Amino acid sequence: SGIPGMAVSLRTRKFLTNRVLGRKQFVVDVFHPGQAVISKDQIKEMIVKKYSVKNAQTVVLFGFQTQYGGGQSSGFCLIYDNLATLKSIEPKFRQVRAGLETRVEKSRKQIKERKNRAKRVRSSEKAKILQKK
């Protein structure tokens, strides 16, 4: 849907090669005039082509917001050097979104009880209680 002939284009800003965290990081501006928001999967494909990434799973996109009036969205992109670095650095919730991790289903009550048990103890005992997942 949208105006025929109006292609979706990408522009990257604030490009940084972060050697400490083993990744390239940058802001992505997506121009999609006359179209609805472009899915992260489509953006990922475009980035994989643009930066000739070997493994598409090492690309992480997040924080996308559409500008007022539409036609342009911007968000963040991280391209990790390999999957091992991604798994060690990237937060669990983003790994779950990417399909690399499975979400641990816990009831709200369990979480609250564990938190309250931890309040009663200190130091190493607290660490033991919080480790039990």
Side-chain angles (χ1 to χ4, degrees):
S1 66
I3 304 164
M6 291 294 241
V8 174
S9 61
L10 283 182
R11 184 184 294 152
T12 58
R13 293 184 285 128
K14 300 182 179 178
F15 192 95
L16 185 88
T17 304
N18 190 332
R19 289 207 168 79
V20 175
L21 297 178
R23 68 187 185 195
K24 295 178 192 84
Q25 54 194 52
F26 48 90
V27 175
V28 181
D29 291 323
V30 185
F31 299 96
H32 46 92
Q35 293 183 9
V37 180
I38 307 302
S39 74
K40 285 196 197 123
D41 292 331
Q42 286 176 298
I43 298 169
K44 189 186 270 194
E45 284 172 27
M46 293 167 85
I47 285 171
V48 165
K49 268 187 214 159
K50 186 173 183 175
Y51 291 99
S52 58
V53 180
K54 291 179 185 77
N55 185 353
Q57 283 187 315
T58 58
V59 178
V60 180
L61 297 162
F62 63 97
F64 276 83
Q65 290 188 320
T66 309
Q67 286 195 356
Y68 182 73
Q72 184 180 342
S73 304
S74 52
F76 298 98
C77 179
L78 308 172
I79 303 174
Y80 283 91
D81 296 343
N82 52 46
L83 264 177
T85 338
L86 183 146
K87 283 186 170 282
S88 65
I89 294 167
E90 203 59 17
K92 286 282 184 278
F93 76 95
R94 284 210 292 253
Q95 288 185 40
V96 170
R97 282 182 195 171
L100 300 169
E101 245 349 279
T102 52
R103 186 160 178 245
V104 180
E105 293 292 332
K106 281 190 277 186
S107 73
R108 194 174 161 81
K109 189 168 184 177
Q110 275 181 319
I111 294 165
K112 285 177 178 290
E113 282 175 355
R114 191 164 124 228
K115 172 189 70 107
N116 290 329
R117 272 199 306 273
K119 279 168 129 178
R120 287 189 227 117
V121 293
R122 295 176 76 162
S123 68
S124 60
E125 294 167 41
K126 185 177 220 156
K128 282 181 202 168
I129 288 173
L130 292 175
Q131 282 298 314
K132 294 176 188 170
K133 289 188 177 178

